[in-house]
Every structure is written in C-alpha cells, then in structure tokens.
C-alpha cells in the first residue's frame, strides 16, 4: 500500500510540473530532474525525434563524462539501438534494459569515465498514435528494472507525451491567430494606406503637369517623390506581413517545402510572378497540400511544378508520374478532403481547379486564378 501511495505521489508531482509548463525545453529538463529525484535513478536524457528520424537531445540530467564531453557530442551524433528501434516502429512500450551503444562506444575508445552506467531503460513518448521521442533513464551498475518500475516510467512517459501534444496544439493555435492578424494588417494597409499613397502620387504628378510656375512644379514633383518613396516602404512592409514561409517568394517556398518532404521539384517559371497577397497565400496552401499528397500517395519523389502568368491570370500546375488513382472528372465528386480543400480555395478566388489522374499514370492538378 505504501509503495502504491508513493507512485501516486510521484505521478501527481510530475503532472503538476507538466500542467504548468508552456516551453518544451524547460519543461522536459524540470520533469527529468524530478523523475530522477523521486525514483532514485541517477542519469537520464530525452530525445525528441522528428518523423524523418532526425533527433535532438532535448533534456539531460547527470550524464557521465563519457557522454557529456564536448558539449554532449557523443549524445548528439551517430545512431544508437534505442533510436533505431523507435524509428523502425519496434518501440511500443517501456523496454526493460537496453545496453547503451553510446556507452559501449566510449569504452571501446578507452574513455572509461562512464561512472558505472552500462544500461538504461527506454520508454517512448507518445500521445495516442502520435510519437514525440524517447525517455532514457539509468543508474550505475543497474542492469534490471522491475515490471512495477517500467509501468511507472510508462505512465510518466505518457504524461510527458500528452503535455508535448498540448504545447504543440497551443503553438499551432497561436500561429493560426498570428497568421490571421498578419493577414488582417496586410489587407488593411493595402486597402487603405497603400491606396491613399497611390492617389497622392497620381495627384502630385497631375499638379506638376499643369503647374505654370517652376517653384510650384518642383514642389509637386517633390511631393510625388515622397509619395513614391512611402509607397515603396509600405509595399515592403506588406511583403513582410505575408504568411510565414513566403518570405522569399512562392516558388522558393514550395521548393523548400518539397525538400523538407524529401521530394525533388523540377520548377519552371514563366513571366514575372508578382501576385496579390491573397492569391499568393492560396497558391502556397494549395501547393503544400498537393506536395504532401505526392509524398503520401504517388510512390514517387520527383514532382514537376510550373507557374506562369497569362492574360491577367496565374496558372500553377503540379504533377507527378506516380501511382495515380481512379477519378472521373465528369461526375464532379472530389475523392478526398485535401483535394476538396484545394478546389474550394481556388473557387473562392473565382479560379478553376482541374484534376487529371488515372491508375499508374500519375496525377496532375492545374490551378487557374484571375489576377
């Protein structure tokens, strides 16, 4: 009974820490220190792992010199068995003991400052089906964890995973609110101040053309120059307020997003691509969805992207030579929510969405939006 009460106290203390935290690095360090203190273990570390397998040492506590030397370089480079199991989908619950490859490497290199640490327990951090990384804990000469200890570690890992999910959702919500505010400011500046400056510039130019006196003409021209300069600065400000990711332009953003997904984009641009903010943002969101679909469903990594301006309209085409699927455009039914989202975004700007695909013959989407 006393042991049961102790576990409940440990879970309660860690839950309180996690509920108060809003920043990932800080919360993980605090929870790890608390975990080691209440369990009597001496060393621990947490890896956060991306879906592509890249990992970062997010928290550490009392690592032996063999692992902490050179700013924890032994922990931040190379692979290890626990990360390999995680990435291969073979780490579903707390594993009793894993011999630490990083420790073994240190011993092979005759770096004997391991403080007696040879093994560690490994627990995946997850919330539902979403995985975030792994928690590792150990102590000198400890080569076995009892089932009760593993169950406690698993409960704590689940708490950590749930907290990470909460922080992630909060960040997404904040980012969404920030994007909406940036868009509102950009629209307000474009629709009001930008138009006023443009009108002022035109008025000053007209005044300069009809002015008879040289001094008056020069004054109008000076006003026009000031208005043009202010107009340029305002456009630069509106550019900075565009949605995050578009700082270097649409094609650069889509190339970067494709690279992040592991895709190779062959890009072709025709004409000078200078787009209204709402059109550029729509194409950015549509492009993201299309590239994500290529990654998930096409079975290919090569994607073609073309962007062109023709007769006061912008045309974006994204195609792959992948698996394709059955689709009858004449029926008018869009087969997935992602494709429907692309179609809705296009049509909200009076554009046209065309999807062409068939099994084993790839997929092409063509977006045409008037500008």
């Amino acid at each position: 009974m006393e042991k049961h009460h102790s576990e409940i106290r440990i879970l309660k203390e860690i839950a309180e820490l996690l509920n108060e935290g809003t920043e990932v690095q800080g919360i993980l360090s605090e929870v790890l220190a608390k975990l080691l203190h209440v369990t009597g273990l001496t060393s621990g570390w947490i890896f956060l792992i991306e879906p592509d397998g890249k990992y970062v040492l997010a928290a550490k506590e009392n690592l032996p010199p063999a692992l902490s030397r050179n700013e924890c370089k032994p922990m931040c480079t190379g692979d290890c068995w626990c990360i390999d199991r995680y990435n291969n989908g073979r780490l579903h619950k707390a594993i009793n003991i894993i011999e630490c490859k990083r420790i073994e490497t240190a011993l092979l290199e005759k770096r004997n400052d391991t403080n007696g640490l040879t093994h560690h327990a490994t627990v995946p951090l997850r919330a539902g089906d979403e995985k975030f990384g792994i928690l590792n804990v150990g102590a000198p000469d400890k080569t076995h964890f009892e089932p009760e200890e593993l169950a406690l570690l698993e409960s704590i890992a689940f708490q950590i995973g749930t907290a990470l999910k909460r922080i992630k959702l909060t960040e997404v919500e904040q980012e969404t609110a920030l994007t909406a505010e940036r868009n509102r400011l950009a629209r307000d500046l474009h629709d009001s101040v930008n138009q006023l400056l443009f009108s002022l510039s035109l008025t000053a130019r007209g005044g300069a053309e009809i002015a008879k006196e040289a001094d008056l003409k020069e004054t109008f021209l000076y006003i026009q120059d000031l208005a043009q300069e202010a107009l340029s600065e305002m456009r630069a400000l509106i550019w900075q307020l565009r949605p995050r990711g578009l700082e270097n332009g649409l094609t650069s953003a889509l190339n970067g997003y494709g690279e992040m997904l592991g895709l190779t984009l062959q890009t072709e641009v025709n004409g000078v691509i200078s787009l209204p903010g709402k059109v550029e943002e729509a194409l950015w969101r549509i492009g993201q969805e299309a590239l994500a679909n290529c990654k998930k469903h096409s079975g290919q990594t090569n994607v073609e992207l073309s962007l062109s301006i023709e007769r006061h309209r912008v045309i974006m085409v994204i195609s792959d030579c992948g698996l394709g699927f059955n689709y009858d455009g004449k029926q008018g039914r869009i087969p997935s929510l992602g494709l429907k989202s692309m179609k809705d975004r296009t049509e909200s700007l009076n554009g046209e969405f065309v999807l062409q695909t068939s099994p084993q013959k790839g997929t092409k989407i063509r977006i045409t939006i008037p500008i």
Side-chain angles (χ1 to χ4, degrees):
M1 181 66 70
E2 183 179 344
K3 186 174 182 180
H4 181 64
H5 281 267
S6 175
E7 290 183 355
I8 292 175
R9 178 181 57 81
I10 292 171
L11 291 171
K12 178 178 179 295
E13 290 181 10
I14 289 179
E16 288 172 349
L17 272 178
L18 290 169
N19 287 336
E20 294 170 2
T22 58
E23 190 269 323
V24 170
Q25 299 291 120
I27 194 175
L28 291 180
S29 295
E30 287 185 40
V31 168
L32 184 57
K34 172 69 75 173
L35 169 61
L36 296 180
H37 175 71
V38 298
T39 58
L41 298 168
T42 58
S43 299
W45 58 97
I46 294 175
F47 288 121
L48 293 182
I49 306 175
E50 298 292 335
D52 61 3
K54 292 180 181 177
Y55 65 89
V56 61
L57 181 64
K60 63 185 186 300
E61 190 71 18
N62 197 31
L63 291 179
L67 299 181
S68 60
R69 64 174 64 245
N70 298 328
E71 298 181 344
C72 296
K73 185 177 179 181
M75 300 294 288
C76 301
T77 56
D79 58 359
C80 66
W81 294 314
C82 54
I83 290 179
D84 288 345
R85 288 193 185 194
Y86 175 94
N87 287 332
N88 292 336
R90 294 185 293 128
L91 186 62
H92 302 292
K93 60 181 181 178
I95 291 181
N96 195 347
I97 283 297
I98 289 182
E99 294 181 74
C100 182
K101 182 181 177 184
R102 298 180 194 276
I103 288 285
E104 286 196 359
T105 300
L107 293 174
L108 287 172
E109 294 175 357
K110 301 189 184 306
R111 291 186 279 115
N112 297 319
D113 47 353
T114 60
N115 291 356
L117 183 68
T118 59
H119 297 67
H120 60 75
T122 294
V123 198
L125 303 177
R126 60 169 66 239
D129 293 331
E130 190 166 1
K131 301 191 301 180
F132 299 99
I134 50 180
L135 164 68
N136 294 332
V137 291
D141 303 317
K142 185 174 178 64
T143 59
H144 181 74
F145 279 75
E146 297 297 334
E148 296 83 2
E149 293 178 294
L150 291 176
L152 177 61
L153 290 174
E154 208 157 54
S155 297
I156 292 171
F158 179 75
Q159 285 185 323
I160 296 172
T162 303
L164 290 174
K165 178 69 172 179
R166 173 181 61 79
I167 293 173
K168 181 179 177 181
L169 290 173
T170 301
E171 289 174 348
V172 169
E173 183 179 350
Q174 291 173 341
E175 182 65 26
T176 301
L178 177 60
T179 299
E181 181 64 10
R182 286 160 65 98
N183 289 345
R184 185 191 67 78
L185 285 171
R187 281 195 305 271
D188 289 350
L189 289 172
H190 184 275
D191 294 342
S192 56
V193 181
N194 206 42
Q195 294 299 327
L196 286 172
L197 288 172
F198 185 67
S199 298
L200 177 61
S201 176
L202 288 178
T203 302
R205 187 176 71 179
E209 289 176 353
I210 63 175
K212 302 297 184 184
E213 299 177 11
D215 289 348
L216 186 58
K217 184 183 289 289
E218 186 175 338
T219 299
F220 275 123
L221 290 174
Y222 179 64
I223 294 172
Q224 183 186 6
D225 288 342
L226 287 178
Q228 288 287 355
E229 185 177 344
L231 190 59
S232 296
E233 291 186 10
M234 185 59 63
R235 284 172 176 164
L237 178 58
I238 292 171
W239 177 269
Q240 293 171 25
L241 287 169
R242 295 185 311 162
R244 185 168 296 178
L246 282 171
E247 293 85 356
N248 296 317
L250 178 60
T251 52
S252 175
L254 288 173
N255 271 292
Y257 187 72
E259 183 178 342
M260 184 192 74
L261 293 174
L263 300 173
T264 301
L265 265 66
Q266 295 179 339
T267 306
E268 180 181 354
V269 179
N270 295 308
V272 178
I273 308 298
S274 179
L275 301 171
K278 60 184 180 180
V279 173
E280 187 175 49
E281 182 181 0
L283 292 176
W284 167 228
R285 302 305 180 200
I286 292 168
Q288 284 180 301
E289 184 69 36
L291 293 176
N293 282 348
C294 291
K295 173 66 176 178
K296 288 188 287 187
H297 305 301
S298 73
Q300 294 283 324
T301 58
N302 293 320
V303 181
E304 294 183 358
L305 163 70
S306 75
L307 199 64
S308 59
I309 299 288
E310 299 176 9
R311 304 188 193 93
H312 303 293
R313 60 182 184 169
V314 59
I315 301 170
M316 182 173 77
V317 179
I318 298 178
S319 60
D320 65 69
C321 297
L323 299 175
F325 54 91
N326 284 310
Y327 171 67
D328 183 0
K330 295 178 181 178
Q331 295 181 1
R333 289 197 301 270
I334 298 296
S336 77
L337 287 176
L339 289 167
K340 187 176 186 306
S341 170
M342 288 189 263
K343 186 174 187 292
D344 290 345
R345 282 185 185 275
T346 304
E347 293 179 348
S348 71
L349 295 172
N350 299 316
E352 180 186 24
F353 174 89
V354 177
L355 169 65
Q356 296 175 317
T357 185
S358 58
Q360 306 303 321
K361 293 189 177 179
T363 302
K364 175 189 287 188
I365 64 164
R366 178 186 173 92
I367 310 296
T368 305
I369 299 176
I371 55 174

